[in-house]
């Protein structure tokens, strides 16, 4: 459905052989798709592939071009954190991943702000926030900056009452907003609300 982050995750599965036979050529192909969508992480991954010859012939000129392109997207610290979190060109290190996401958040980079929230939610490189207050705070900040995944995450938290009082009306509002931004999970949740009639009139018609 064109979700850049999930397309990247499929590439990771092929790269690491998670749930599927390892196939570096397919990993490269899936990294290319989000890169073409303008996704920073996907662009960085394509640079990594050209740098180390993952599923494609090594080409340092192209590697540099993609790294530079990713850096120009603004989420420089977030990209470094992503590499540490996912063992891309460096040893996996959750603490360093969080540190770079936090640096990213401190200077107002949207993806890093969202990822810092995810670290607090899941205990990646930092003590897990069992009450989810900090995670919600970071998701709310990234949503305010117009980051589709952050908008969806805020909706999810209102939907299930994580770190905030449950409010399905607000959940629908944020899900709908993320859906309008093209976020696939948000689209699914909007459909689910209409299917079940949650805070909106039940409507299962095919348009």
């Amino acid at each position: 459905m064109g979700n850049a982050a999930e397309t990247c995750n499929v590439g990771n599965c092929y790269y690491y052989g998670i749930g599927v036979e390892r196939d570096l050529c397919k990993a490269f192909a899936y990294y290319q798709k989000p890169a073409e969508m303008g996704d920073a992480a996907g662009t960085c991954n394509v640079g990594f592939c050209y740098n180390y010859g993952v599923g494609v012939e090594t080409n340092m000129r192209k590697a540099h071009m993609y790294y530079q392109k990713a850096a120009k997207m603004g989420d420089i610290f977030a990209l470094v954190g992503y590499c540490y979190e996912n063992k891309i060109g460096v040893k996996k290190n959750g603490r360093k991943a969080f540190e770079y996401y936090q640096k990213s958040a401190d200077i107002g980079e949207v993806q890093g702000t969202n990822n810092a929230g995810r670290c607090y939610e899941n205990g990646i490189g930092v003590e897990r926030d069992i009450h989810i207050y900090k995670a919600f705070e970071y998701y709310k900040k990234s949503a305010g900056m117009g980051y589709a995944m952050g908008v969806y995450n805020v909706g999810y938290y209102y939907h299930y009452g994580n770190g905030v009082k449950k409010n399905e009306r607000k959940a629908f509002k944020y899900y709908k907003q993320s859906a309008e931004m093209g976020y696939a999970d948000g689209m699914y949740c909007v459909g689910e609300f209409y299917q079940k009639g949650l805070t909106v009139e039940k409507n299962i018609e095919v348009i």
Side-chain angles (χ1 to χ4, degrees):
M1 293 180 70
N3 182 289
E6 297 307 329
T7 305
C8 242
N9 285 339
V10 174
N12 288 338
C13 288
Y14 277 115
Y15 179 77
Y16 294 109
I18 300 170
V20 67
E21 189 175 344
R22 195 171 190 224
D23 189 323
L24 299 182
C25 291
K26 284 188 177 179
F28 175 71
Y30 274 97
Y31 290 150
Q32 273 191 310
K33 291 178 184 179
E36 289 165 1
M37 298 176 209
D39 179 71
T43 304
C44 183
N45 287 350
V46 172
F48 169 81
C49 289
Y50 276 119
N51 195 352
Y52 295 98
V54 176
V56 67
E57 190 175 341
T58 301
N59 187 321
M60 300 307 291
R61 184 183 61 79
K62 284 191 175 181
H64 177 73
M65 182 187 76
Y66 276 96
Y67 283 144
Q68 194 173 47
K69 190 177 178 182
K72 285 180 180 177
M73 291 175 184
D75 283 341
I76 302 168
F77 288 127
L79 283 171
V80 177
Y82 183 85
C83 288
Y84 274 115
E85 184 184 356
N86 295 282
K87 202 170 67 174
I88 298 173
V90 290
K91 286 185 178 180
K92 189 169 184 173
N93 188 319
R95 182 181 58 79
K96 283 191 175 181
F98 173 72
E99 283 178 8
Y100 278 100
Y101 289 149
Q102 184 63 63
K103 285 179 182 180
S104 175
D106 289 343
I107 63 171
E109 290 179 353
V110 61
Q111 188 174 357
T113 303
N114 181 78
N115 289 354
R118 184 165 50 75
C119 287
Y120 274 116
E121 180 179 8
N122 298 292
I124 300 171
V126 66
E127 186 177 351
R128 184 173 178 266
D129 176 19
I130 58 172
H131 299 296
I132 319 294
Y133 298 136
K134 286 185 178 178
F136 180 75
E137 178 187 334
Y138 278 96
Y139 288 148
K140 194 84 182 285
K141 282 182 183 177
S142 70
M145 295 183 222
Y147 189 54
M149 187 183 291
V151 175
Y152 168 82
N153 286 336
V154 172
Y156 183 89
Y157 272 40
Y158 276 122
H159 189 177
Y160 295 100
N162 292 343
V164 65
K165 188 176 179 181
K166 184 174 180 176
N167 188 322
E168 290 181 338
R169 192 171 296 280
K170 283 188 176 181
F172 178 75
K173 172 191 165 186
Y174 280 99
Y175 283 153
K176 192 168 186 291
Q177 186 182 339
S178 71
E180 289 168 352
M181 296 167 79
Y183 194 67
D185 289 346
M187 295 178 193
Y188 175 85
C189 289
V190 169
E192 186 178 41
F193 268 58
Y194 277 118
Q195 181 188 27
K196 296 178 180 178
L198 299 173
T199 76
V200 291
E201 187 177 347
K202 189 173 181 179
N203 188 333
I204 58 173
E205 287 184 39
V206 177
I207 298 173

